[in-house]
Amino acid sequence: MSDLKKPGMDNQPPGKYKEVGPRGGEVPKPRIIEIDRGDRLPPTQEKGRKWEKQ
């Protein structure tokens, strides 16, 4: 399993992140975002979800 990141974490490596369930499972209609160096991960669509680096 990949390293899951909580929403709002600062200074994450740049790249694409996909919204996943609390334990890394697939969710319907996940958000896929791209952040730059030093950016903060945005909130997820539902409480308890996390971000996984692609």
Side-chain angles (χ1 to χ4, degrees), residues 4-54:
L4 302 177
K5 311 281 185 187
K6 293 181 181 178
M9 290 182 72
D10 286 332
N11 299 321
Q12 296 303 308
K16 289 189 176 190
Y17 288 82
K18 180 180 177 183
E19 185 176 8
V20 295
R23 293 183 285 165
E26 293 292 319
V27 295
K29 298 184 182 175
R31 283 176 61 197
I32 297 176
I33 59 158
E34 188 165 350
I35 62 170
D36 294 325
R37 189 177 76 172
D39 284 353
R40 177 179 293 185
L41 288 170
T44 54
Q45 296 179 53
E46 290 185 19
K47 188 174 180 172
R49 291 185 180 174
K50 297 185 178 179
W51 295 105
E52 177 181 48
K53 186 153 176 37
Q54 296 291 289

